[in-house]
Amino acid sequence: MIRIDNLYMAFADKEVLRNINLEIHQEEIFALIGPSGTGKTTFLRILNFLEKPIKGDIEYNGMTKPGILDIRRRMSLLFQTPAIFNKSVFENVAYGLKVRGIEKKIVETKVNEALNIVGLDGMEKQKARTLSGGEAQRMAFARAIVYDPEILLLDEPTANLDPANVMKIEEIIKRIRNERGTTIILATHNIPQVRRIADRVGILLNGELIEVNSKEGIFSSPKDARSKAFINGEMIY
Ligand SMILES: Nc1ncnc2c1ncn2[C@@H]1O[C@H](COP(=O)(O)OP(=O)(O)O)[C@@H](O)[C@H]1O
Ligand SMILES: [Mg+2]
């Protein structure tokens, strides 16, 4: 689905990603884990064309030089701290469809579907600013999936949530993949979450992808001693 070759990124003189080689498979939940400051967000932003790498190739579904608009229409990034417009829940979720010029009736259907998936049905008229933290994050999730992207990039979507909302978000992630066949890349440093929902795992350490493995592999027989330390919570960060 996505193939990344020899990717490098730096900000000024600071190297942030080094020689990243990775394939993301269709319909998988790929967890990108690693300590804070290790380059997860930067990597997702590059995939979503918000940053330009200094070197490297990214191939989306066999296309090496796709139009950015073409890909971005089929891909969605949920930010760690989503922006909320001072409007109703409906308007917040409908935004991505409206900018695409979709007709009103379809916008309504799609927004309602998305709100149903995230468990916010019936709240479309509420002011988004009055939502609780968990509800706001679920609204942002609805906004990310409302146009049915093929690829969903999630940047620590549960980092600031209470356990009940963490569970809800995890259920939504699984449901989206199972019902819509969405390919999902999930940046997280929540190891139990990886255990619960990931198919494959990549460990990013100081900008280097030190190991890519199946979930079973990474927990039972990690190839790199540093992976083992990170997974067992022995790494200080
Ligand atoms: N726009 C930027 N300008 C300069 N440095 C940046 C910028 N964005 C990220 N960085 C740096 O890149 C490194 C990786 O950051 P980030 O990708 O946010 O890591 P993570 O998401 O894993 O916590 C950090 O050292 C961060 O300070
Ligand atoms: Mg980050």
Side-chain angles (χ1 to χ4, degrees), residues 41 80 155-156:
T41 297
Q80 194 169 345
D155 193 3
E156 306 209 31

Side-chain angles (χ1 to χ4, degrees), residues 102-125:
I102 312 259
E103 99 187 55
K104 204 169 159 218
K105 204 90 209 120
I106 300 176
V107 171
E108 264 172 36
T109 310
K110 296 240 173 224
V111 171
N112 287 334
E113 255 174 45
L115 287 174
N116 176 267
I117 288 177
V118 302
L120 293 179
D121 14 2
M123 294 175 77
E124 36 292 89
K125 291 206 176 74

Side-chain angles (χ1 to χ4, degrees), residues 128-199:
R129 291 264 161 85
T130 65
L131 295 173
S132 72
E135 288 165 349
Q137 182 64 324
R138 283 186 281 135
M139 181 193 77
F141 206 115
R143 186 162 62 198
I145 61 168
V146 74
Y147 54 92
D148 203 6
E150 289 165 44
I151 303 166
L152 185 57
L153 311 172
L154 302 173
D155 193 3
E156 306 209 31
T158 61
N160 307 309
L161 301 181
D162 59 288
N165 273 295
V166 171
M167 292 251 308
K168 282 180 190 163
I169 295 276
E170 290 178 2
E171 288 304 320
I172 297 165
I173 295 170
K174 285 190 284 187
R175 186 169 165 197
I176 285 292
R177 191 275 298 276
N178 295 344
E179 288 181 9
R180 298 187 173 181
T182 310
T183 302
I184 295 172
I185 306 181
L186 166 71
T188 181
H189 54 232
N190 183 333
I191 305 295
Q193 176 163 83
V194 174
R195 251 185 222 283
R196 289 191 292 267
I197 67 174
D199 300 312

Side-chain angles (χ1 to χ4, degrees), residues 70-82:
D70 185 48
I71 289 293
R72 289 198 64 183
R73 208 173 293 141
R74 294 152 60 190
M75 180 158 51
S76 189
L77 170 61
L78 178 63
F79 296 95
Q80 194 169 345
T81 36

Side-chain angles (χ1 to χ4, degrees), residues 19-87:
N19 192 26
I20 306 288
N21 296 283
L22 177 64
E23 280 184 27
I24 301 295
H25 306 157
Q26 193 142 9
E27 294 189 29
E28 74 174 338
I29 299 177
F30 185 90
L32 183 65
I33 64 176
S36 189
T38 209
K40 301 181 296 297
T41 297
T42 303
F43 181 71
L44 295 183
R45 289 173 60 85
I46 290 172
L47 289 184
N48 200 38
F49 297 98
L50 294 169
E51 305 274 0
K52 201 170 157 22
I54 54 173
K55 199 172 128 185
D57 293 314
I58 306 176
E59 201 180 291
Y60 298 85
N61 249 341
M63 293 188 287
T64 41
K65 294 269 184 287
I68 287 182
L69 282 176
D70 185 48
I71 289 293
R72 289 198 64 183
R73 208 173 293 141
R74 294 152 60 190
M75 180 158 51
S76 189
L77 170 61
L78 178 63
F79 296 95
Q80 194 169 345
T81 36
I84 293 175
F85 311 129
N86 192 17
K87 290 191 166 169

